[in-house]
């Protein structure tokens, strides 16, 4: 794709929110215990790779609700972005390139600011 496409503002906004939601979800999942439900810790040193986990208190109902809310919004945005009417205007051979450009528009904007 030789020319950078002009993406519709709602598509750009949807993609940007999708990046934000995914970032929030990833940060939340990193903070939460490794198991949703309370589980004992374990250690497996007999395999090809040592695996250890401390005991997990599980997630609270609020934490579970927050993860579900973020995942639901992530799915909504992914469907919005991937099914946007703009993609029908892009020539078939250029769709993948245009999609990749859209995914990285926020990086180009950040570098230009």
């Amino acid at each position: 794709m030789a020319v950078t496409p002009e993406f519709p503002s709602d598509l750009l906004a949807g993609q940007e929110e999708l990046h934000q939601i995914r970032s929030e979800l990833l940060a939340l999942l990193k903070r939460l215990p490794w198991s949703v439900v309370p589980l004992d810790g374990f250690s497996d040193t007999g395999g090809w790779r040592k695996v250890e986990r401390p005991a997990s208190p599980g997630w609270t109902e609020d934490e579970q609700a927050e993860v579900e809310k973020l995942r639901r919004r992530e799915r909504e945005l992914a469907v919005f972005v991937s099914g946007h009417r703009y993609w029908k205007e892009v020539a078939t051979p250029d769709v993948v390139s245009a999609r990749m450009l859209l995914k990285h528009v926020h990086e180009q904007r950040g570098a230009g600011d």
Side-chain angles (χ1 to χ4, degrees):
M1 186 163 213
V3 179
T4 302
E6 291 280 334
F7 295 111
S9 60
D10 63 332
L11 180 56
L12 287 168
Q15 182 66 51
E16 182 62 30
E17 187 180 352
L18 182 57
H19 280 299
Q20 290 171 356
I21 292 293
R22 285 181 172 159
S23 178
E24 287 177 37
L25 181 58
L26 181 61
L28 176 60
L29 291 172
K30 283 183 177 182
R31 285 192 315 268
L32 292 175
W34 63 271
S35 175
V36 177
V37 297
L39 286 176
D40 293 334
F42 66 90
S43 178
D44 180 9
T45 57
W48 64 275
R49 187 176 83 177
K50 183 178 177 179
V51 178
E52 290 185 290
R53 297 273 188 197
S56 173
W59 297 358
T60 66
E61 287 184 18
D62 289 342
E63 290 168 337
Q64 290 180 40
E66 181 65 17
V67 168
E68 181 54 34
K69 181 182 95 171
L70 290 171
R71 285 182 173 158
R72 186 178 314 114
R73 186 62 182 148
E74 179 186 29
R75 283 188 299 269
E76 290 169 357
L77 288 165
V79 168
F80 172 77
V81 169
S82 64
H84 195 278
R85 66 188 174 279
Y86 171 78
W87 301 118
K88 292 179 184 172
E89 301 170 12
V90 179
T92 302
D94 296 333
V95 171
V96 172
S97 297
R99 179 70 182 111
M100 291 297 112
L101 286 171
L102 177 65
K103 286 182 176 185
H104 298 283
V105 162
H106 69 286
E107 295 166 0
Q108 294 167 357
R109 286 180 167 182
D113 291 345

